[in-house]
Amino acid sequence: MNQPAPRRLFEAPSIRALLAQAGAFPLTLIAVWLLARIGLPMRWEGVALIQGAWAALLAWRLGLAVWWRAIELVFPSGVLLARGLDLPPVLFLILFVLFLLVYWSTFRTQVPYYPSGRGAWEAVAQALPADRPLAIVDVGSGLGGLVLDLARRRPDAQVDGIELAPLPWFVSRLRGKLSGSRARFLRGDYESLNFGHYDVVFAYLSPAAMAGLWRKAENEMRPGSMLLSYEFDIPARMPDRRIVTTNSKKILYLWQF
């Protein structure tokens, strides 16, 4: 059954983050008043730190991920610093548009941009079956590094990447064109893909997305295919293999279907 619209709105992390800052404001006023009463008047820098601490605490109580709590903590101090620098308003607009293009749907998916790096690429390449052509997809492919690397290593494979954020998708597609790669870069939500069309699905998402990723994989992936997840495992589902990457010591998890 569909949730009521107000309930769905509250579930958005960005809305809960806004509520945390709003809820922290009266708590900050009370704290500053009490400190002044005992002879400890606060400078604006101290007030910003108190506001951030209350907001981070409320973000934790609202179930927001750890990076949201960090943002809540530093946001008031960042606003105070920017105000003191007397920066031109157009700069904030440019930064907003840039972050919007990079983190397009993070407020909904809770999946920020995570670059995987060459250690992960090497581990994925070694985990792939070498005895047959493969169809591979990187869900949330970012700037396309893994996809381009696999397309170069495995000329027998069809390698796709799908990315929702416009700027990383554009950069990855441009990189593919300039390098003459056979890799394909799709723009969209990986939920729109049918995992049954692929032999290998690679994901570097976030803890918040793993339960949903597993449900989709379990429903769609065919026998003989594999799901790979870099750094983040799936709660209550033991992986078939754990591969420790060489440079970062992070783990590549593998589930065989």
Side-chain angles (χ1 to χ4, degrees), residues 11-192:
E11 288 298 321
S14 56
I15 298 299
R16 283 183 282 164
L18 181 61
L19 290 173
Q21 285 291 341
F25 183 69
L27 297 174
T28 300
L29 289 179
I30 294 171
V32 171
W33 179 78
L34 289 174
L35 289 170
R37 290 276 294 177
I38 63 174
L40 292 174
M42 299 296 296
R43 295 171 56 90
W44 283 112
E45 292 83 356
V47 174
L49 289 174
I50 294 173
Q51 170 75 15
W54 277 121
L57 180 61
L58 291 175
W60 170 70
R61 292 293 298 168
L62 289 169
L64 288 171
V66 64
W67 58 82
W68 277 108
R69 298 174 220 164
I71 291 171
E72 298 283 10
L73 180 63
V74 303
F75 179 75
S77 296
V79 171
L80 186 64
L81 177 62
R83 185 172 180 270
L85 293 175
D86 196 25
L87 299 172
V90 69
L91 178 62
F92 294 98
L93 177 61
I94 293 171
L95 290 174
F96 172 77
V97 171
L98 179 62
F99 279 111
L100 182 65
L101 291 173
V102 174
Y103 298 100
W104 185 256
S105 63
T106 299
F107 73 94
R108 175 174 62 84
T109 63
Q110 299 193 64
V111 180
Y113 171 61
Y114 286 126
S116 53
R118 294 188 179 277
W121 307 350
E122 187 69 34
V124 170
Q126 292 178 5
L128 298 179
D131 59 346
R132 56 192 171 95
L134 299 170
I136 307 167
V137 65
D138 178 0
V139 297
S141 52
L143 300 179
L146 172 68
V147 176
L148 294 170
D149 183 73
L150 289 179
R152 178 182 58 81
R153 292 175 186 256
R154 294 292 300 263
D156 61 327
Q158 169 198 329
V159 189
D160 296 343
I162 185 166
E163 174 58 52
L164 189 55
L167 186 57
W169 166 80
F170 176 77
V171 171
S172 63
R173 188 162 184 180
L174 182 62
R175 291 177 68 189
K177 291 288 187 184
L178 292 176
S179 64
S181 175
R182 299 174 301 100
R184 296 192 310 169
F185 291 99
L186 314 172
R187 183 170 176 266
D189 191 335
Y190 71 83
E191 289 285 353
S192 65

